[in-house]
Every structure is written in structure tokens, then in C-alpha cells.
Amino acid sequence: MDLPTLPTQTDMDNTAATLDSKEEHSDIESESGTQTIDPNAIILAEALTDKAISWQIHNCKIIKKIVTQDLPLHFLYHYDSLDDAIKQTHPLTPELLLQFNTPMSAHQAAKLIGIDEELLTSPWHVKIIGSLVVFSEALQLAVRLHWTNTGKETQQIYTKDTADAIIAAFKDWQFFGRVDVLYKNNKQILISIDEQNPNTQALPAESLLTIEASSDYQQLLATHALATIVKLEADKADLPWFDKAILERIE
């Protein structure tokens, strides 16, 4: 039976030298406050925007929905919606100018101007917030994202009916808010970088976040969530599965 080969003194000296070199390199990185990205690591934002990965959308749902014509608007918006001919016959007076930033209903604005309410166009106020989960079976990675049509309280859309208002509102929808990650792959490192365009492999230590494998969702730190959203927004036109899932859900 072959016996295991024991290391020679030379081998042990070489190993010790190698370890010393690694420790010295690690000390240099620590002192300089930088970390080097593992070339085999999965970078979250890069993976999410990689069209070669088979991403699927799951559980796309609406969390909050406002679609109404009953909310008040600043007088300015009511007046601006009038035809030019009506504006000429009912020009702005000092009294009307004082009301420009006063919220009011179309009925109140019409009475203030001295016209029939039907001459005013009441917009639809649209605000829809939702969430979805995008996941890759191969990477064992799922990410929960949030989306909306506007960052304002509501978006004003001038259309005849509700359906057209919703479609118009979501021509420029956006990701926002918190990002939650579920990662079950303990064989490959998953990291997040809170910088949009890292130019080197060495980055400030605080820019890198290692996401441990877990059976539960983990909420990203705010800076990393923002970096992920910025990357998604920049590449959104090339990621049609998001647009498709959201538009199917709101219609």
C-alpha cells in the first residue's frame, strides 16, 4: 500500500512564504481600505441585467392603486387645461393669479373663472404601486423589486376613460424603493456593488456587500438598493420581461 508523501522542509518553507505573502497582501488591502472582487463572484446588478440568463417573473402584483378624477388640483392646472379661445375671453385677473397654487375641484375652478364646468377637462389621477419577483433557477437567486408609474403623489393624465389613462401613465414606469434578495446558492459568492461603473477590480471596502446564502429574503442596504435600481433603469429597454409582466398586470 502506498504511503502518503509527507511534505519536505523546502515544501513547508515555500508554503509558509506563500502564506506570508497572502497575509501581507491582505494587510495592504486592509490598510488601504479596498477589497478585490472574486473573479468567480456573481455581481447582483450585472446578473439582473444579463440577457443571457434565463430570468423569469413571478408574483407580479398591485399593492396600491389610485385611479380617479375626484382629487383636487391647483387652480393653475385647471386654467391651463382650457382652450385658448376661452382663455382669451376669460383672461387671468389679479384675483385669479392669487389662486394659482390653491387646490380645488373642477367645479370650484369653473365657478371662480365664471364658466361652465364642462369647459374644464378633469384629468385622471393615477398612482399604482406594485411588486414582482424576478428569479433564476440556475443561479438559485430571486430578487423582489417594487415599481410605480410616478414618484409623485399621483400622475395627471388627460384621457377620456380609465383604461387609456392607465396605459398612458405606464409609458414611463419606474423601479423604486427597497430591494430584497433571496439567494440559496452556497457554492458561489454573490456580491453587490453600490457604485454604478467600477473601473477596477479593487474597490473601497464599503462599496462591496457580500450577500450570504439564506432560505429567507434579505433587504439590501439603501445605497446598494439604489445602485441596483439605477442599473436596472439604465438597461430596462433591453429587459422586456419586466415591461411585459407589469403591463399585463395593470390592464
Side-chain angles (χ1 to χ4, degrees):
M1 180 176 65
D2 294 334
L3 294 175
T5 302
L6 296 175
T8 64
Q9 184 62 45
T10 301
D11 292 334
M12 289 189 287
D13 290 343
N14 289 337
T15 300
T18 300
L19 290 173
D20 288 341
S21 176
K22 287 183 178 179
E23 288 176 359
E24 181 181 353
H25 179 66
S26 176
D27 289 341
I28 292 172
E29 286 188 344
S30 177
E31 290 174 4
S32 63
T34 63
Q35 291 187 37
T36 301
I37 300 173
D38 184 332
N40 295 317
I42 300 171
I43 302 175
L44 181 61
E46 297 293 335
L48 282 174
T49 54
D50 189 342
K51 293 183 290 184
I53 296 174
S54 181
W55 290 107
Q56 299 180 57
I57 303 294
H58 173 67
N59 200 26
C60 184
K61 62 183 181 181
I62 292 174
I63 299 171
K64 177 181 179 180
K65 183 175 182 179
I66 298 173
V67 184
T68 180
Q69 288 181 302
D70 296 333
L71 295 179
L73 275 176
H74 288 167
F75 175 74
L76 166 66
Y77 292 104
H78 289 297
Y79 189 84
D80 278 350
S81 73
L82 292 171
D83 290 336
D84 289 340
I86 300 174
K87 289 179 181 178
Q88 289 177 5
T89 58
H90 294 79
L92 288 171
T93 63
E95 291 77 12
L96 292 180
L97 286 170
L98 288 174
Q99 300 296 327
F100 250 36
N101 292 318
T102 304
M104 62 184 68
S105 66
H107 174 75
Q108 292 170 319
K111 185 176 180 180
L112 189 62
I113 299 168
I115 60 175
D116 192 304
E117 185 178 341
E118 293 182 356
L119 295 176
L120 284 172
T121 304
S122 295
W124 292 95
H125 297 261
V126 182
K127 174 80 170 186
I128 302 177
I129 296 174
S131 66
L132 60 79
V133 173
V134 57
F135 71 98
S136 165
E137 191 69 36
L139 297 181
Q140 297 182 56
L141 170 63
V143 181
R144 183 164 56 216
L145 302 162
H146 295 82
W147 47 267
T148 185
N149 62 298
T150 179
K152 300 178 181 179
E153 289 187 10
T154 62
Q155 181 180 359
Q156 287 79 53
I157 304 292
Y158 289 89
T159 61
K160 290 184 178 181
D161 57 49
T162 309
D164 288 341
I166 293 174
I167 292 172
F170 272 85
K171 285 183 178 178
D172 192 26
W173 63 269
Q174 58 201 256
F175 289 112
F176 81 105
R178 63 182 289 166
V179 175
D180 301 300
V181 178
L182 176 62
Y183 188 57
K184 295 186 176 181
N185 183 0
N186 56 15
K187 297 180 180 179
Q188 195 169 8
I189 296 173
L190 174 65
I191 63 173
S192 172
I193 303 173
D194 68 357
E195 295 183 4
Q196 295 180 38
N197 297 303
N199 296 317
T200 64
Q201 287 295 95
L203 292 170
E206 62 272 14
S207 294
L208 297 183
L209 174 67
T210 300
I211 303 168
E212 303 294 341
S214 173
S215 58
D216 297 316
Y217 275 100
Q218 303 173 66
Q219 181 179 350
L220 286 187
L221 296 174
T223 54
H224 289 269
L226 179 59
T228 300
I229 289 170
V230 167
K231 177 62 175 171
L232 282 167
E233 286 291 324
D235 292 17
K236 194 167 62 178
D238 298 322
L239 310 171
W241 44 88
F242 289 116
D243 199 61
K244 181 175 184 293
I246 291 172
L247 293 182
E248 285 179 352
R249 185 65 187 86
I250 65 172
E251 289 177 356

